[in-house]
Amino acid sequence: VLRTRLCDLLGIEHPIIQAAMGTASSAELAAAVSNAGGLGSIGTLFRPLADLRRQLERMPELTDRAYAVNHVVPVLDAAAFELTLAAKPALVSFALGDPGEHVKRAHEVGALVMHQVTNVRQAEEAARLGVDILVAQGGESGGYGGSVAAMPLIPQVVDAVHPVHVVAAGGIFDGRGIAAALMLGADGVNLGTRFLASPESSIDAGWRDAILAAASEDAVKVDVLNDLMPLPGTGGYGTVVRSVRTPFIDAWNARRAEARERAAQLMGEMGAARQSGRSHEFLAVAGQTAGAIREVRPAAEIVRALVEETEQALAGARRFLTS
Ligand SMILES: Cc1cc2nc3c(=O)[nH]c(=O)nc-3n(C[C@H](O)[C@H](O)[C@H](O)COP(=O)(O)O)c2cc1C
């Protein structure tokens, strides 16, 4: 049976975390994953305060299991963070910048702290702050991320912060990827894009369809978004978002100076598209795993399949050893 020390630390059955993904990760998705034995996360990025309050109130109605609430450091909202602390989740997670004093605040309410990093230096700094779990996030990830790929990053972070728990993120969509991450020294995984293709994730149908139709090379870094909307990307760790390419991205990634001049107009167009459920015509945030995701599956089924596939992959690894 698949089990790692991350399961003991968090009190979960499977070492699989559903990544926080801003407003795409609501109580319904987080609870479905936690109830299936993984760990669900609620995102606070771009979420209005009243909605966060509602999501946090729903959690105990939907599950009695552990879950995480995520804050993105460069745009951390103090009032939202107070709501999170009052909810006392099992885990508070941070990303995209040095979490500093926030680590202590989360520990004070009895939560464990997880922090996502994109290179070894950030991992060492975060370990010094006393975070309990580090997420080594490869640049192939969906959402904001760095440039180092998961394969070289994970073992380096594992070695740099030992014995702190390390969770792998980026590029993982099935049990083979989870088995590989464990071989690289990770204690578990944090999957985003795979869970976007579930009915429980709160994204528009067009966004989900874009993921199902994409090849991996269609999931591109959107540098121009940092010109149009500098935070959270240019704050903290200096990250760039990855999205399935759209005509908007193709047009403006190549004309960044002009995009900067027309930022107000372009942001207005994006805002209007969001209001009418057409935001995917501009951005369909997802990682390179989009190429491997061909169907929408309930989150609990995704967790079950991931566990089964990982066990198979690990059991099968014996064939590479001769006696
Ligand atoms: C749509 C989307 C939104 C994201 N938003 C956040 C976020 O709000 N906070 C965060 O820490 N990470 C966020 N991420 C990154 C994930 O935590 C995770 O690192 C990433 O999804 C892992 O790579 P994968 O998509 O290849 O599984 C987001 C990812 C996606 C796809």
Short mmCIF file of all heavy atoms in Angstrom, two decimals, residues 230-257:
data_model
loop_
_atom_site.label_atom_id
_atom_site.label_comp_id
_atom_site.label_asym_id
_atom_site.label_seq_id
_atom_site.Cartn_x
_atom_site.Cartn_y
_atom_site.Cartn_z
N PRO A 230 1.38 43.39 -13.04
CA PRO A 230 2.69 43.02 -12.46
C PRO A 230 2.62 42.06 -11.27
O PRO A 230 3.53 41.27 -11.07
CB PRO A 230 3.28 44.37 -12.05
CG PRO A 230 2.62 45.36 -12.96
CD PRO A 230 1.21 44.86 -13.16
N LEU A 231 1.56 42.13 -10.47
CA LEU A 231 1.48 41.22 -9.32
C LEU A 231 0.48 40.11 -9.59
O LEU A 231 -0.53 40.36 -10.23
CB LEU A 231 1.07 41.99 -8.06
CG LEU A 231 2.14 42.95 -7.52
CD1 LEU A 231 1.61 43.71 -6.31
CD2 LEU A 231 3.41 42.19 -7.14
N PRO A 232 0.75 38.89 -9.10
CA PRO A 232 1.84 38.51 -8.20
C PRO A 232 3.17 38.18 -8.89
O PRO A 232 4.18 38.04 -8.21
CB PRO A 232 1.30 37.25 -7.53
CG PRO A 232 0.41 36.63 -8.56
CD PRO A 232 -0.22 37.79 -9.29
N GLY A 233 3.20 38.09 -10.23
CA GLY A 233 4.37 37.57 -10.91
C GLY A 233 5.68 38.29 -10.64
O GLY A 233 6.71 37.66 -10.35
N THR A 234 5.68 39.63 -10.71
CA THR A 234 6.96 40.34 -10.58
C THR A 234 7.33 40.62 -9.12
O THR A 234 8.43 41.08 -8.84
CB THR A 234 6.93 41.69 -11.34
OG1 THR A 234 5.94 42.52 -10.74
CG2 THR A 234 6.60 41.48 -12.80
N GLY A 235 6.43 40.34 -8.18
CA GLY A 235 6.77 40.47 -6.76
C GLY A 235 7.47 39.20 -6.31
O GLY A 235 7.55 38.23 -7.06
N GLY A 236 7.95 39.18 -5.11
CA GLY A 236 8.49 37.94 -4.52
C GLY A 236 9.53 37.26 -5.39
O GLY A 236 10.55 37.84 -5.74
N TYR A 237 9.25 36.01 -5.76
CA TYR A 237 10.22 35.19 -6.46
C TYR A 237 10.39 35.53 -7.95
O TYR A 237 11.26 34.97 -8.60
CB TYR A 237 9.85 33.71 -6.33
CG TYR A 237 9.92 33.16 -4.92
CD1 TYR A 237 9.16 32.04 -4.55
CD2 TYR A 237 10.76 33.72 -3.97
CE1 TYR A 237 9.24 31.52 -3.27
CE2 TYR A 237 10.84 33.20 -2.68
CZ TYR A 237 10.07 32.09 -2.34
OH TYR A 237 10.14 31.57 -1.08
N GLY A 238 9.55 36.39 -8.49
CA GLY A 238 9.67 36.70 -9.90
C GLY A 238 9.26 35.52 -10.76
O GLY A 238 10.09 34.80 -11.32
N THR A 239 7.96 35.28 -10.84
CA THR A 239 7.46 34.11 -11.54
C THR A 239 6.62 34.53 -12.75
O THR A 239 6.21 35.69 -12.85
CB THR A 239 6.58 33.24 -10.61
OG1 THR A 239 5.58 34.08 -10.03
CG2 THR A 239 7.42 32.59 -9.52
N VAL A 240 6.39 33.58 -13.64
CA VAL A 240 5.60 33.83 -14.85
C VAL A 240 4.53 32.75 -14.93
O VAL A 240 4.79 31.59 -14.63
CB VAL A 240 6.51 33.78 -16.11
CG1 VAL A 240 5.68 33.97 -17.38
CG2 VAL A 240 7.61 34.83 -16.02
N VAL A 241 3.33 33.15 -15.32
CA VAL A 241 2.23 32.19 -15.37
C VAL A 241 2.33 31.33 -16.63
O VAL A 241 2.85 31.76 -17.66
CB VAL A 241 0.87 32.93 -15.30
CG1 VAL A 241 0.40 33.43 -16.65
CG2 VAL A 241 -0.20 32.04 -14.65
N ARG A 242 1.86 30.07 -16.53
CA ARG A 242 1.80 29.19 -17.70
C ARG A 242 0.33 28.91 -18.03
O ARG A 242 -0.46 28.61 -17.14
CB ARG A 242 2.56 27.89 -17.44
CG ARG A 242 2.72 27.03 -18.71
CD ARG A 242 3.47 25.73 -18.44
NE ARG A 242 4.90 25.88 -18.19
CZ ARG A 242 5.82 26.10 -19.14
NH1 ARG A 242 5.45 26.18 -20.40
NH2 ARG A 242 7.09 26.22 -18.81
N SER A 243 0.01 29.03 -19.31
CA SER A 243 -1.38 28.87 -19.77
C SER A 243 -1.39 28.16 -21.12
O SER A 243 -0.43 28.25 -21.89
CB SER A 243 -2.01 30.26 -19.93
OG SER A 243 -3.18 30.22 -20.71
N VAL A 244 -2.49 27.50 -21.42
CA VAL A 244 -2.70 27.01 -22.77
C VAL A 244 -2.78 28.24 -23.66
O VAL A 244 -3.44 29.23 -23.32
CB VAL A 244 -4.00 26.19 -22.88
CG1 VAL A 244 -4.27 25.80 -24.33
CG2 VAL A 244 -3.94 24.95 -21.99
N ARG A 245 -2.05 28.20 -24.79
CA ARG A 245 -1.97 29.41 -25.63
C ARG A 245 -3.33 29.75 -26.24
O ARG A 245 -4.15 28.86 -26.51
CB ARG A 245 -0.90 29.28 -26.69
CG ARG A 245 -0.96 28.03 -27.53
CD ARG A 245 0.33 27.91 -28.30
NE ARG A 245 0.23 28.81 -29.44
CZ ARG A 245 0.39 28.41 -30.70
NH1 ARG A 245 0.66 27.15 -30.96
NH2 ARG A 245 0.28 29.26 -31.68
N THR A 246 -3.52 31.03 -26.40
CA THR A 246 -4.75 31.57 -26.98
C THR A 246 -4.32 32.58 -28.04
O THR A 246 -3.16 33.02 -28.04
CB THR A 246 -5.58 32.30 -25.91
OG1 THR A 246 -4.80 33.43 -25.44
CG2 THR A 246 -5.94 31.41 -24.73
N PRO A 247 -5.22 33.00 -28.92
CA PRO A 247 -4.87 34.05 -29.88
C PRO A 247 -4.35 35.31 -29.17
O PRO A 247 -3.42 35.96 -29.62
CB PRO A 247 -6.19 34.33 -30.61
CG PRO A 247 -6.93 33.03 -30.51
CD PRO A 247 -6.57 32.46 -29.16
N PHE A 248 -4.91 35.62 -28.02
CA PHE A 248 -4.48 36.78 -27.23
C PHE A 248 -3.01 36.64 -26.83
O PHE A 248 -2.21 37.56 -26.99
CB PHE A 248 -5.38 36.92 -25.99
CG PHE A 248 -4.98 38.03 -25.07
CD1 PHE A 248 -5.39 39.33 -25.30
CD2 PHE A 248 -4.18 37.78 -23.95
CE1 PHE A 248 -5.01 40.36 -24.45
CE2 PHE A 248 -3.80 38.80 -23.09
CZ PHE A 248 -4.22 40.10 -23.34
N ILE A 249 -2.66 35.46 -26.28
CA ILE A 249 -1.28 35.24 -25.84
C ILE A 249 -0.33 35.30 -27.04
O ILE A 249 0.72 35.95 -26.99
CB ILE A 249 -1.15 33.87 -25.13
CG1 ILE A 249 -1.94 33.88 -23.82
CG2 ILE A 249 0.32 33.52 -24.87
CD1 ILE A 249 -2.06 32.51 -23.15
N ASP A 250 -0.70 34.64 -28.12
CA ASP A 250 0.17 34.62 -29.30
C ASP A 250 0.41 36.05 -29.81
O ASP A 250 1.53 36.40 -30.17
CB ASP A 250 -0.46 33.78 -30.42
CG ASP A 250 -0.43 32.30 -30.08
OD1 ASP A 250 0.30 31.93 -29.14
OD2 ASP A 250 -1.15 31.51 -30.74
N ALA A 251 -0.65 36.86 -29.80
CA ALA A 251 -0.53 38.21 -30.34
C ALA A 251 0.33 39.10 -29.43
O ALA A 251 1.24 39.79 -29.91
CB ALA A 251 -1.91 38.83 -30.50
N TRP A 252 0.08 39.06 -28.12
CA TRP A 252 0.68 40.06 -27.24
C TRP A 252 1.99 39.62 -26.60
O TRP A 252 2.80 40.46 -26.22
CB TRP A 252 -0.33 40.51 -26.18
CG TRP A 252 -1.45 41.27 -26.83
CD1 TRP A 252 -2.73 40.84 -27.05
CD2 TRP A 252 -1.38 42.58 -27.41
NE1 TRP A 252 -3.46 41.79 -27.72
CE2 TRP A 252 -2.66 42.87 -27.95
CE3 TRP A 252 -0.37 43.53 -27.52
CZ2 TRP A 252 -2.95 44.08 -28.59
CZ3 TRP A 252 -0.64 44.74 -28.16
CH2 TRP A 252 -1.93 44.99 -28.68
N ASN A 253 2.27 38.33 -26.48
CA ASN A 253 3.58 37.90 -25.96
C ASN A 253 4.69 38.39 -26.88
O ASN A 253 5.82 38.60 -26.44
CB ASN A 253 3.64 36.36 -25.87
CG ASN A 253 3.79 35.87 -24.43
OD1 ASN A 253 3.88 36.65 -23.49
ND2 ASN A 253 3.81 34.56 -24.27
N ALA A 254 4.37 38.58 -28.14
CA ALA A 254 5.37 39.03 -29.11
C ALA A 254 5.43 40.56 -29.20
O ALA A 254 6.30 41.09 -29.89
CB ALA A 254 5.03 38.45 -30.48
N ARG A 255 4.52 41.25 -28.52
CA ARG A 255 4.49 42.73 -28.59
C ARG A 255 4.31 43.30 -27.19
O ARG A 255 3.34 44.00 -26.90
CB ARG A 255 3.32 43.18 -29.49
CG ARG A 255 3.61 42.99 -30.97
CD ARG A 255 2.37 42.68 -31.77
NE ARG A 255 1.33 43.69 -31.68
CZ ARG A 255 0.04 43.44 -31.99
NH1 ARG A 255 -0.33 42.24 -32.40
NH2 ARG A 255 -0.85 44.40 -31.90
N ARG A 256 5.28 42.98 -26.33
CA ARG A 256 5.10 43.30 -24.91
C ARG A 256 5.13 44.80 -24.64
O ARG A 256 4.39 45.28 -23.78
CB ARG A 256 6.15 42.57 -24.07
CG ARG A 256 5.91 41.06 -24.08
CD ARG A 256 6.97 40.31 -23.29
NE ARG A 256 7.10 40.82 -21.94
CZ ARG A 256 8.03 40.42 -21.09
NH1 ARG A 256 8.92 39.53 -21.47
NH2 ARG A 256 8.09 40.93 -19.87
N ALA A 257 5.98 45.54 -25.35
CA ALA A 257 6.07 46.99 -25.10
C ALA A 257 4.73 47.66 -25.44
O ALA A 257 4.21 48.48 -24.68
CB ALA A 257 7.20 47.61 -25.91
#
